[in-house]
Amino acid sequence: MSLQSAALSRVKPSATLAADQKARELKAQGRDVIGLAAGEPDFDTPDNIKEAAIKAIRDGKTKYTNVDGIPELKEAICAKFSRENGLTYKPSQINVSPGGKPVIWNAMIATLNPGDEVIVPTPYWVSYWDIVLLAGGTPVAAPTSAETGFKLRPDDLERVITPKTKWILLNSPSNPSGAAYTRAELKALADVLMRHPQVWILTDDMYEHLVFGDFEFTTIAQVEPALYDRTLTMNGVSKAYAMTGWRIGYAGGPEELIKAMAKVMSQTTSNPSSISQWAAVEALNGPQDFIKPNAKLFEQRRDLVVSMLNQANGIKCPTPEGAFYVYPSCEGLIGKTAPSGRTIGSDQDFATELLEAEGVAVVHGAAFGLSPFFRISYATSNAVLEDACGRIQRFCANVR
């Protein structure tokens, strides 16, 4: 009898966490390694948010809370959705979970039955696919390409919808590509979904505030209000507020779904950290003036990385609209010989050889469902990025 369950055997460990862990291990061994695998802002959590957490501790707000969030945080989230997205929710329509990933898990485990299909546009954040599998559903890839800007076209969406389709997972700006949908592009997808009333929409807006230039962020229930009753609009404090370790994700959606997600939490995680919840109240209600300057810094880093990567032999790097990732193609190096003498047969080989030869950790594209690409997180300093991209240029120049 195997110890491992059939459910667990369907999934793989997170490739992004594995790549980041490998970089940490090599650093601990004394290797000169630059880790560009983890999706984590290098900024510190703002002081007012830290102080709110300290005050919560001093005020004794250290007990269990309502399973899916304190009333004060739910009110702050409702205000945020109204202020920034033009969406009206009541506190009874809000879920607060210990991170964004549990929001998705809670929604999937609460709604999926064997045979239910979930559409996942490629490239996708590594956890989407495996969460669906773990929850007993069937993930269905919806293709995109560099030529479409890594965005799902309406015709391609129409082709993958079947009577078994229960959900579609949308992510804009995207992890891993940084692609972001315009209002018109979202409306075109919404028009397709309007013809298929059995399909629910989970939109992951975690990178909402990290858009560049004059790009205007919109979310699908805002663009097409007729989809409001079957849309779960997800967000969190991790990226915009540099609060990755605080573990607070949230979502707004229909009361029936929110109640079902709370039921899951009542038998799994219980409530998110009380201290983190009070910090999140301050994040959402407090000063927001640091968000745009931070986004501008990320935009400058994007421009640096895109420019340097496009000067590397065999690499083509599109310019993303948001987030803090680029998703370059390494197709020009496939089939060639790395400095080690081994053949680069895949994007995974490329990532392995790059780490070995130059000490730069990236995540291979197959982990995100679309090859031959790789993901770089540019959530680090310009000096580190210049060093890393220079090493990538050198590696590519030495491929024969």
Side-chain angles (χ1 to χ4, degrees):
M1 181 182 295
S2 172
L3 174 64
Q4 183 170 298
S5 70
L8 190 62
S9 68
R10 292 194 292 266
V11 305
K12 304 179 294 295
S14 167
T16 53
L17 295 181
D20 186 52
Q21 180 62 29
K22 180 66 174 177
R24 292 174 189 270
E25 290 172 358
L26 290 173
K27 283 183 180 179
Q29 296 168 16
R31 286 282 305 275
D32 178 16
V33 173
I34 300 175
L36 301 180
E40 183 170 45
D42 59 323
F43 307 131
D44 195 13
T45 304
D47 286 342
N48 63 302
I49 298 173
K50 294 179 186 177
E51 290 302 322
I54 293 168
K55 184 176 187 302
I57 294 171
R58 288 177 174 154
D59 290 349
K61 294 175 179 176
T62 57
K63 308 298 184 183
Y64 294 132
T65 74
N66 295 348
V67 69
D68 63 345
I70 59 176
E72 292 84 352
L73 181 50
K74 289 194 172 192
E75 290 285 359
I77 292 165
C78 289
K80 176 263 183 273
F81 276 132
S82 176
R83 178 178 71 241
E84 298 181 350
N85 308 113
L87 295 173
T88 301
Y89 290 109
K90 299 177 293 185
S92 58
Q93 293 177 276
I94 300 299
N95 172 273
V96 183
S97 290
K101 196 178 294 187
V103 173
I104 304 168
W105 166 254
N106 294 335
M108 293 299 107
I109 199 68
T111 60
L112 290 179
N113 294 305
D116 287 343
E117 295 177 350
V118 178
I119 295 171
V120 186
T122 60
Y124 46 74
W125 180 46
V126 293
S127 293
Y128 293 151
W129 194 270
D130 288 299
I131 285 174
V132 173
L133 287 171
L134 200 56
T138 302
V140 176
T144 76
S145 66
E147 289 68 35
T148 68
F150 300 116
K151 299 182 208 179
L152 183 61
R153 289 175 170 172
D155 290 348
D156 292 326
L157 172 58
E158 186 76 63
R159 273 191 283 270
V160 294
I161 294 176
T162 75
K164 296 180 178 180
T165 305
K166 187 99 175 239
W167 286 91
I168 178 173
L169 303 183
L170 295 176
N171 179 207
S172 174
S174 162
N175 175 0
S177 70
Y181 289 90
T182 65
R183 178 180 289 269
E185 289 165 340
L186 282 177
K187 182 62 170 67
L189 295 178
D191 289 345
V192 174
L193 293 167
M194 288 294 293
R195 297 194 290 271
H196 300 277
Q198 87 279 12
V199 182
W200 286 65
I201 303 100
L202 191 157
T203 176
D204 179 351
D205 299 347
M206 194 67 71
Y207 297 91
E208 169 186 6
H209 289 295
L210 297 176
V211 292
F212 308 136
D214 57 359
F215 187 92
E216 179 189 357
F217 174 85
T218 50
T219 192
I220 196 164
Q222 176 185 16
V223 170
E224 179 48 82
L227 293 176
Y228 173 89
D229 288 335
R230 52 189 171 109
T231 298
L232 186 67
T233 303
M234 185 191 110
N235 214 310
V237 297
S238 295
K239 312 302 180 181
Y241 300 95
M243 294 175 67
T244 51
W246 298 77
R247 307 308 300 141
I248 295 291
Y250 60 82
E255 282 192 36
E256 180 185 11
L257 174 60
I258 297 300
K259 287 179 180 178
M261 292 167 65
K263 185 177 180 180
V264 173
M265 294 178 70
S266 74
Q267 295 292 6
T268 53
T269 59
S270 296
N271 62 273
S273 161
S274 61
I275 307 307
S276 294
Q277 289 187 69
W278 284 105
V281 171
E282 174 62 21
L284 295 177
N285 288 344
Q288 309 290 304
D289 54 345
F290 61 91
I291 292 178
K292 286 187 177 179
N294 284 358
K296 189 63 180 177
L297 286 174
F298 279 124
E299 183 176 4
Q300 293 167 359
R301 294 171 180 183
R302 175 202 66 176
D303 293 343
L304 168 67
V305 170
V306 169
S307 174
M308 290 191 71
L309 290 179
N310 278 322
Q311 297 173 51
N313 292 335
I315 302 293
K316 292 182 179 179
C317 185
T319 302
E321 293 89 353
F324 40 68
Y325 308 104
V326 289
Y327 200 61
S329 167
C330 57
E331 185 174 10
L333 302 174
I334 302 299
K336 296 188 176 181
T337 304
S340 66
R342 292 184 288 266
T343 300
I344 300 174
S346 65
D347 49 42
Q348 185 166 8
D349 291 342
F350 169 83
T352 299
E353 294 293 334
L354 176 64
L355 180 58
E356 181 175 306
E358 294 289 349
V360 178
V362 301
V363 187
H364 63 284
F368 305 102
L370 188 64
S371 295
F373 297 88
F374 61 100
R375 190 194 78 172
I376 281 178
S377 168
Y378 53 84
T380 188
S381 70
N382 282 19
V384 170
L385 293 172
E386 286 182 10
D387 186 2
C389 290
R391 297 186 194 195
I392 293 172
Q393 289 177 349
R394 185 168 60 208
F395 173 81
C396 293
N398 290 329
V399 171
R400 297 288 182 258

